[in-house]
Amino acid sequence: MVGKEESMVGKRLNKEDRRKQIKEVALRLFTDKGYAKTTMEEIVQECGISKGGMYHHYANKEEIFVELLKDGGEYRKNIVLDYMRENPKSRSEKIMDSLLDKVLDENPYKKLYTVFLIEMQSNKSFKELFEKVYDNSVEDFIEFCKKEGLEEYIAISNREFTFLLNSLYVGIYLFENVDKEKLKEMLKIMFAAYLER
């Protein structure tokens, strides 16, 4: 990702490639430094474009952040769809595996979201942004489940389950010495009990 990002710096890019470059740079900065400590000026500088060029694509860092969260949602949906289509396991096993992967997968979008959750405790505007993002993502998730015939997943589209997942993300992020195989087995029991009720 960095090599490609560096090759884009200072070059004339089409709109789609420039937006992609901006998001790649912002994702790296947000996950390395945190949302609050990353400035729009740093993103502009790392991209090697003018402020005017940046504001042609994004009005502020929140707009970039929200788009990155949407990208993360699309990333996760694609993983679920691919797994559901290609894996020979039973449907309930595939749903459980997908859910466990959501918690245990390591990817930059999840790290971004987790850093944001941690920063929420000290910033009221982050809490407001979370509410905005949460409401939009729940509606989008339910629509996705209905469209793709994954109605079983709708059971996890509530605040309590989101709270549980968010707690797990933060815990895994903060406590790196967690035995993920033991955690996976424990979560499998918990999630199965929840989904069967």
Side-chain angles (χ1 to χ4, degrees):
M1 185 161 85
V2 174
K4 186 175 181 183
E5 189 180 293
E6 287 173 358
S7 69
M8 291 182 177
V9 172
K11 289 188 176 180
R12 190 161 205 56
L13 302 173
N14 65 40
K15 184 176 181 176
E16 184 180 321
D17 285 342
R18 180 63 73 194
R19 288 177 70 89
K20 184 177 178 181
Q21 179 213 19
I22 292 167
K23 288 192 296 183
E24 287 176 356
V25 167
L27 179 60
R28 181 176 45 78
L29 289 172
F30 289 150
T31 55
D32 288 350
K33 297 177 66 176
Y35 178 87
K37 292 181 182 174
T38 299
T39 66
M40 195 66 161
E41 290 74 26
E42 287 173 302
I43 299 170
V44 168
Q45 184 178 3
E46 293 271 336
C47 289
I49 60 175
S50 68
K51 284 185 181 180
M54 173 64 78
Y55 291 112
H56 175 73
H57 297 285
Y58 293 101
N60 53 49
K61 70 178 184 175
E62 180 181 317
E63 192 176 304
I64 302 170
F65 180 79
V66 170
E67 194 165 311
L68 284 168
L69 289 178
K70 287 178 185 174
D71 290 351
E74 290 303 312
Y75 165 84
R76 175 55 47 199
K77 284 186 222 175
N78 289 332
I79 287 175
V80 169
L81 288 177
D82 289 346
Y83 187 74
M84 294 300 281
R85 289 181 187 129
E86 297 170 7
N87 199 296
K89 291 182 177 181
S90 73
R91 186 171 176 86
S92 61
E93 287 176 310
K94 288 192 266 190
I95 288 174
M96 179 62 67
D97 286 350
S98 295
L99 190 53
L100 291 168
D101 183 61
K102 179 177 178 155
V103 173
L104 300 170
D105 182 30
E106 294 179 17
N107 68 72
Y109 296 113
K110 184 174 150 196
K111 185 175 179 186
L112 172 74
Y113 181 69
T114 305
V115 167
F116 176 71
L117 290 173
I118 292 167
E119 291 185 23
M120 247 177 49
Q121 74 180 11
S122 61
N123 190 316
K124 183 180 176 184
S125 69
F126 291 167
K127 289 181 182 178
E128 292 166 3
L129 179 57
F130 174 82
E131 290 302 322
K132 178 179 163 184
V133 168
Y134 174 80
D135 291 340
N136 291 338
S137 65
V138 168
E139 290 172 19
D140 182 54
F141 179 73
I142 291 172
E143 185 179 312
F144 164 75
C145 290
K146 289 177 180 177
K147 179 183 172 203
E148 299 298 334
L150 298 169
E151 286 81 3
E152 299 96 323
Y153 268 114
I154 294 175
I156 65 169
S157 62
N158 59 63
R159 284 194 174 273
E160 294 73 25
F161 203 85
T162 300
F163 173 82
L164 174 63
L165 292 182
N166 288 344
S167 299
L168 289 166
Y169 297 156
V170 171
I172 291 167
Y173 178 82
L174 293 176
F175 302 101
E176 295 174 356
N177 61 348
V178 172
D179 183 332
K180 289 195 178 173
E181 282 306 310
K182 285 183 181 177
L183 178 61
K184 182 177 182 177
E185 289 308 310
M186 185 175 73
L187 291 175
K188 189 182 280 191
I189 294 166
M190 291 170 56
F191 291 162
Y194 181 77
L195 292 171
E196 289 170 11
R197 65 177 186 88

